Amino acid sequence: MSKRLPPLNPLRAFEVTARHLSVSRAAAELHVTHGAVSHQIRALETALKVQLFERRGGRLALSPHGAALLPVVAGAFDSIAEAIALLTRPTTEGELVVSCVQAVASFWLVPRLGSFTERYPGVRLKLIASNDPREIYSDRVDLALVYGDGHWPDRVVEPWTDISLFPVCSPTLANSRPLREVADLASHVLLHGDDGREWNSWLAAAGAPTLAYGRRHLMSNAHLALEAAINGLGVALGDTVTVSRLLADGRLIVPFDLAVPAPDAFFIVTRSELRNTPMVRAFIDWLFAERARDEARPERAPRRARTRRRVLQRAS
């Protein structure tokens, strides 16, 4: 016996309005008028014989019936979107848009991409170098490799790797000016790729917090800080992922045997409907395989690094 369901349009209008708690924002997302959304919601309430929204202090809120219905409807639309994505992208061929932290994109990802393109010649990769959270929610991005705390609602978030931080500099700089003890940093420029908390953390662990107030250059991101270090402008903080190739090539060295856990970690972030499509899944599997290959190589970074555990998060 078939089950009678309300039409999809009213259900979609309800889901979008419930997500924004705003009829105007729902209308903008659905590209219809405010009145059309209101009409669809009233039609759904009439069909179900319940009230789905109520006004509280002039603001729209879900009623108990609406709150019970929302996760079911949202989950159903997610399942439909995932099924359609699988139908329309059934193979590992086509364009894959990846957003990646600039330093990782330049120093880690690009040097390794040959192995991915050799294995999946039908994938046309579009790489966006960015750590802008807006890219995570952009419809043009299929997958994002980002640095952060792992909290991105409405996205599937999978931990890729924790990292440790340690000073790095060019061999030329170390040869021209001593860097035998932490106190020697007082005569060097510290290159910052963030707001200062990473250097503060390392210097505190090294027992020299006051060195954070010495000479410094502020860069907009870690990529610029590392480029400055490669060019002998000062000492930057590297991490166990980004500088691995730079250390192997001898472009950077590690002057001190001390590493500290980074305040955040790297995560792979995707939309739920794309998470298991063959092309996205292939790239994620490749990212993990390359990281495992790195970890199997002889360690070049400081040996006192500590790691933290992260768990898989599926945002609701």
Side-chain angles (χ1 to χ4, degrees):
M1 180 179 179
S2 62
K3 297 180 180 179
R4 296 189 60 185
L5 296 174
L8 286 180
N9 283 343
L11 286 171
R12 186 58 171 165
F14 162 73
E15 186 273 332
V16 177
T17 303
R19 178 155 37 85
H20 291 294
L21 289 179
S22 168
V23 175
S24 297
R25 291 182 182 177
E29 180 175 326
L30 295 171
H31 303 290
V32 297
T33 65
H34 185 286
V37 174
S38 297
H39 175 75
Q40 295 283 7
I41 291 174
R42 285 196 300 270
L44 182 61
E45 289 178 328
T46 299
L48 298 178
K49 297 182 175 59
V50 296
Q51 183 179 352
L52 299 173
F53 294 96
E54 55 191 39
R55 290 281 177 181
R56 297 176 185 171
R59 295 185 176 182
L60 194 65
L62 284 167
S63 71
H65 291 297
L69 182 62
L70 177 59
V72 178
V73 172
F77 278 114
D78 283 345
S79 296
I80 293 172
E82 184 172 354
I84 291 173
L86 286 170
L87 287 173
T88 57
R89 305 177 71 172
T91 66
T92 51
E93 294 185 356
E95 183 178 76
L96 178 67
V97 182
V98 176
S99 174
C100 181
V101 182
Q102 185 177 2
V104 175
S106 294
F107 299 128
W108 189 91
L109 184 59
V110 169
R112 292 165 169 79
L113 271 181
S115 66
F116 179 80
T117 55
E118 183 178 353
R119 184 172 181 180
Y120 300 101
V123 176
R124 301 186 306 275
L125 186 67
K126 182 176 181 180
L127 182 60
I128 301 170
S130 173
N131 200 43
D132 188 337
R134 289 175 295 185
E135 295 290 355
I136 296 172
Y137 293 98
S138 172
D139 290 339
R140 66 173 180 162
V141 173
D142 299 317
L143 178 150
L145 180 57
V146 293
Y147 179 71
D149 62 7
H151 182 68
W152 294 284
D154 300 323
R155 288 294 182 265
V156 178
V157 181
E158 186 171 357
W160 183 53
T161 186
D162 291 308
I163 58 173
S164 296
L165 303 172
F166 45 88
V168 293
C169 66
S170 72
T172 302
L173 181 69
N175 290 332
S176 64
R177 195 176 304 159
L179 265 175
R180 299 184 183 90
E181 299 178 357
V182 173
D184 292 334
L185 285 171
S187 61
H188 289 268
V189 176
L190 300 187
L191 303 169
H192 291 261
D194 69 342
D195 57 5
R197 62 174 177 159
E198 292 184 345
W199 262 117
N200 290 340
S201 176
W202 189 89
L203 290 170
T210 59
L211 292 181
Y213 304 107
R215 292 190 299 159
R216 58 183 177 174
H217 288 328
L218 304 178
M219 308 293 177
S220 63
N221 55 49
H223 180 270
L224 290 179
L226 290 172
E227 284 284 6
I230 291 169
N231 285 280
L233 298 181
V235 183
L237 280 180
D239 66 72
T240 40
V241 171
T242 308
V243 301
S244 58
R245 182 65 63 92
L246 300 174
L247 296 177
D249 292 346
R251 284 182 283 173
L252 291 175
I253 63 169
V254 181
F256 308 112
D257 188 24
L258 173 64
V260 300
D264 292 316
F266 285 110
F267 294 87
I268 297 169
V269 184
T270 56
R271 302 199 301 275
S272 60
E273 66 269 23
L274 295 179
R275 181 64 177 79
N276 291 316
T277 57
M279 193 157 50
V280 171
R281 184 68 256 172
F283 195 79
I284 292 174
D285 290 345
W286 176 80
L287 285 174
F288 277 107
E290 286 297 311
R291 184 67 188 126
R293 198 188 312 276
D294 281 354
E295 293 175 345
R297 294 189 181 106
E299 189 175 12
R300 293 178 179 270
R303 299 180 181 276
R304 299 179 190 174
R306 295 166 291 169
T307 58
R308 295 174 298 165
R309 294 174 59 195
R310 298 266 177 170
V311 297
L312 177 66
Q313 169 192 337
R314 176 182 282 273
S316 58

